[in-house]
Structures are given as structure tokens and as C-alpha cells.
Amino acid sequence: MILSLIFTIWLIISLFYCFKDLKVGAALFLAYIILVPNIQIHIGGSIFKENLFNSAFLVSYFYYAYKNNYKTDFKPFIPFVVYFVICYIAISFQTHTPAAFMTNMLRINAMRTIILPFVIWNIIKCTPSSIFLFRNTLLISISISIVYGLFLTT
């Protein structure tokens, strides 16, 4: 219960930071994704999942880009978008699973795999010095995961 509260506070802080300082908010969210694989928080009777936070980061990036007059780069993500479009077309040829379920899962996977890398790529493109922040966030988060994994197996 305490750990769940800490994770909820961490996620809310990263969400608020994404509108104050997008680089720090995205780095906090990246660390959260690596360290806590199940992204959902409970507030009252409502459950908020990963797609809500990915969408918030996308909105905050477009606000940040509009405010600072940055150009958004879509080019590296075109192959991934084409892949998801092909998967969406392939849904009509599959009969074992309901189309509504498969469409929802495709949307969830697309939002999970495209939005955060898109935001991080464009932040680094707009402010090249932020690559050090993301690199250090990844190194620290992966190191913590490795140490945790070693202690878990002993």
C-alpha cells in the first residue's frame, strides 16, 4: 500500500513536471516506465492507466513546441505508423478474436510504443543538451533494475 502511494505520487509529480519542464517530466516518466512495469494509479474509485499519461505527455510536448516555436520531426516514426496501419488492415482478415478487442489492443500498443519515443526524440532534437539527462536517467534506472534483479534471484 505504501509502495503504491509512492508510485502514485511519483507519477503525478512527473505529470505536473511535464507542463512545467518537459525534459525533467519526460525523464521522470521514463524512469518510472523502466522501474515500475505496471503503470496504473488508483485515485478514489478511478483507475488511470498508461495511455492517459502518454497522451498527457504528447499534449504537453505540442504545447511546449508551440510555445517555443519548435519544428516537430515526424520522419523517424513513419515506418512504425505504417506498421500499425498494416496491422489495422490485417484485423479484417482474422476471425478468431473480435475486431473491437483487437482494435483496442492495437491502439494501446501504438500509444505505448510511439508516443513517448516521439516526445523524447523531439525534445532531444529541440534541445540537444537534454540527451545527457535522458542518458543518465536510463543508466541509473537500468542500474537499479539490475541490482534489484540480482537481489531478487538470491
Side-chain angles (χ1 to χ4, degrees), residues 83-89 91 101-111:
Y83 167 73
F84 282 111
V85 168
I86 290 171
C87 286
Y88 185 71
I89 292 169
I91 287 175
F101 175 76
M102 290 178 65
T103 304
N104 189 36
M105 293 308 294
L106 183 68
R107 177 192 57 82
I108 290 170
N109 288 333
M111 290 182 75

Side-chain angles (χ1 to χ4, degrees), residues 30-31 34-35 134-149:
L30 182 64
I34 292 171
L35 296 173
F134 292 118
R135 182 195 65 193
N136 293 338
T137 300
L138 284 171
L139 289 174
I140 291 169
S141 300
I142 291 171
S143 298
I144 291 171
S145 295
I146 289 170
V147 169
Y148 177 73

Side-chain angles (χ1 to χ4, degrees), residues 41-145:
I41 61 171
H42 303 274
I43 298 177
S46 301
I47 298 174
F48 300 103
K49 294 195 176 202
E50 181 179 2
N51 285 340
L52 174 71
F53 300 104
N54 283 334
S55 300
F57 274 99
L58 187 65
V59 167
S60 68
Y61 165 73
F62 282 121
Y63 172 73
Y64 176 77
Y66 175 76
K67 187 173 84 173
N68 295 320
N69 202 17
Y70 288 134
K71 187 175 185 283
T72 303
D73 185 16
F74 294 101
K75 197 175 267 189
F77 298 95
I78 291 173
F80 302 105
V81 171
V82 169
Y83 167 73
F84 282 111
V85 168
I86 290 171
C87 286
Y88 185 71
I89 292 169
I91 287 175
S92 63
F93 300 111
Q94 299 172 358
T95 59
H96 298 298
T97 308
F101 175 76
M102 290 178 65
T103 304
N104 189 36
M105 293 308 294
L106 183 68
R107 177 192 57 82
I108 290 170
N109 288 333
M111 290 182 75
R112 182 179 295 149
T113 57
I114 291 179
I115 290 179
L116 189 62
F118 171 78
V119 170
I120 290 174
W121 171 263
N122 281 294
I123 290 171
I124 291 172
K125 196 89 162 149
C126 296
T127 56
S129 63
S130 64
I131 195 166
F132 300 111
L133 174 67
F134 292 118
R135 182 195 65 193
N136 293 338
T137 300
L138 284 171
L139 289 174
I140 291 169
S141 300
I142 291 171
S143 298
I144 291 171
S145 295

